[in-house]
């Protein structure tokens, strides 16, 4: 059973370009979470999605950032018109459906975005 | 609101000596608490979790943590450090939706160095 997959692992963009980060959850997982880790900091929650639904986007910046998790295919985190401050590691996690307390989130290896 | 505070940003121990990584939490109800480890340029791996069962939780690689409600603490310990334990460790509390574990709130991390 493959773990959470993210691609690309490394992404370089120039200021003003778009960045698209992909996350394929573990098999059987229908909950996806995106976290951002700025240099020298811990992870910060960005958004929580279920298939075709955004459940909580309280950690998403108000502009330029969007996320989706379509019925088919991976979850996408999209950053438009990137700026240097967007440089960070972006981690995706997935978990089982259902309301089990303590359901573990399994993390992917992350995408390291560098904005030149 | 839920939060965690990791009291030490850096901890250095000698190989074979005990490890103590400190974490205090704040939660308005019975929390789910986790410790994750992150090796350089890697994703996150769950070490252990507490979900209101036994207060002493045993995890992988010889790590354990004790939930102390009176002290609002969830410190991570290991009797004898190994060189391979050198990594960054994150204490995490969950924010649940209807009792489920969903959004994770990360501490700022403790970087563990193990000296030969």
């Amino acid at each position: 059973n493959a773990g959470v997959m993210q691609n690309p692992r490394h992404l370089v963009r120039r200021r003003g370009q778009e960045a698209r980060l992909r996350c394929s959850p573990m098999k059987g997982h229908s909950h996806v979470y995106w976290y951002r880790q700025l240099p020298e900091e811990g992870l910060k929650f960005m958004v929580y999605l279920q298939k075709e639904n955004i459940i909580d986007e309280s950690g998403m910046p108000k502009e330029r950032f969007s996320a989706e998790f379509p019925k088919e295919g991976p979850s996408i985190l999209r950053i438009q018109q990137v700026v240097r401050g967007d440089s960070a590691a972006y981690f995706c996690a997935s978990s089982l459906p259902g309301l089990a307390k303590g359901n573990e989130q399994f993390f992917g290896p992350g995408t390291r975005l560098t904005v030149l | 609101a839920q939060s965690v505070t990791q009291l030490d940003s850096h901890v250095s121990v000698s190989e074979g000596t005990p490890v103590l990584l400190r974490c205090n939490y704040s939660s308005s109800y019975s929390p789910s608490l986790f410790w994750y480890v992150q090796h350089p340029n890697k994703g996150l791996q769950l070490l252990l979790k507490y979900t209101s069962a036994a207060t002493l939780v045993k995890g992988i690689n010889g790590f354990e943590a004790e939930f102390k409600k009176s002290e609002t603490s969830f410190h991570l310990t290991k009797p004898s450090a190994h060189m391979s334990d050198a990594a960054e460790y994150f204490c995490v509390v969950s924010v649940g939706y209807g009792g489920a574990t969903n959004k994770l709130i990360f501490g700022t991390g403790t970087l563990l160095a193990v000296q030969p």
Side-chain angles (χ1 to χ4, degrees):
Chain A
N1 186 10
V4 178
M5 299 176 68
Q6 290 188 247
N7 68 82
R9 294 291 305 277
H10 300 274
L11 181 62
V12 179
R13 286 288 178 266
R14 296 190 181 279
R15 281 179 295 171
Q17 292 185 317
E18 178 180 288
R20 292 171 70 89
L21 288 61
R22 295 175 184 77
C23 169
S24 296
M26 286 181 68
K27 187 176 181 180
H29 288 192
S30 57
H31 296 205
V32 165
Y33 315 78
W34 285 94
Y35 296 84
R36 177 166 65 173
Q37 185 177 32
L38 294 169
E40 309 297 327
E41 294 187 14
L43 280 74
K44 296 285 196 296
F45 168 81
M46 299 182 74
V47 62
Y48 162 38
L49 310 107
Q50 296 177 17
K51 287 278 188 182
E52 300 185 280
N53 279 308
I54 296 175
I55 305 303
D56 181 350
E57 58 182 345
S58 59
M60 288 280 270
K62 297 291 182 230
E63 298 176 343
R64 302 185 298 106
F65 284 71
S66 62
E68 62 176 8
F69 188 18
K71 187 176 181 181
E72 301 291 337
S75 175
I76 306 288
L77 179 67
R78 182 183 178 205
I79 312 172
Q80 295 178 289
Q81 300 173 347
V82 295
V83 300
R84 288 215 173 109
D86 297 332
S87 295
Y90 293 82
F91 289 94
C92 170
S94 72
S95 72
L96 290 168
L99 296 178
K101 193 168 186 273
N103 252 354
E104 178 183 348
Q105 292 186 20
F106 292 82
F107 282 81
T111 294
R112 280 156 181 81
L113 172 66
T114 302
V115 179
L116 301 177
Chain B
Q2 283 75 20
S3 66
V4 288
T5 302
Q6 292 185 245
L7 300 167
D8 307 294
S9 59
H10 292 81
V11 170
S12 182
V13 300
S14 297
E15 190 175 20
T17 64
V19 175
L20 169 63
L21 305 183
R22 299 182 294 167
C23 173
N24 287 101
Y25 70 90
S26 172
S27 178
S28 53
Y29 54 89
S30 181
S32 290
L33 292 160
F34 308 80
W35 276 96
Y36 280 86
V37 61
Q38 184 180 30
H39 290 276
N41 298 314
K42 297 285 182 63
L44 289 96
Q45 182 182 21
L46 180 68
L47 280 178
L48 49 80
K49 65 180 180 183
Y50 165 79
T51 55
S52 73
T55 56
L56 182 62
V57 183
K58 294 189 183 298
I60 61 171
N61 300 335
F63 284 95
E64 61 182 38
E66 186 171 6
F67 173 76
K68 291 187 176 179
K69 186 175 180 179
S70 60
E71 298 176 10
T72 61
S73 69
F74 190 57
H75 301 333
L76 181 70
T77 59
K78 182 173 180 177
S80 176
H82 191 273
M83 295 296 288
S84 62
D85 294 329
E88 185 144 32
Y89 292 79
F90 293 98
C91 182
V92 180
V93 67
S94 68
V95 175
Y97 296 84
T101 298
N102 292 117
K103 174 176 169 180
L104 299 182
I105 307 296
F106 282 75
T108 50
T110 298
L111 189 61
L112 176 65
V114 181
Q115 310 299 330

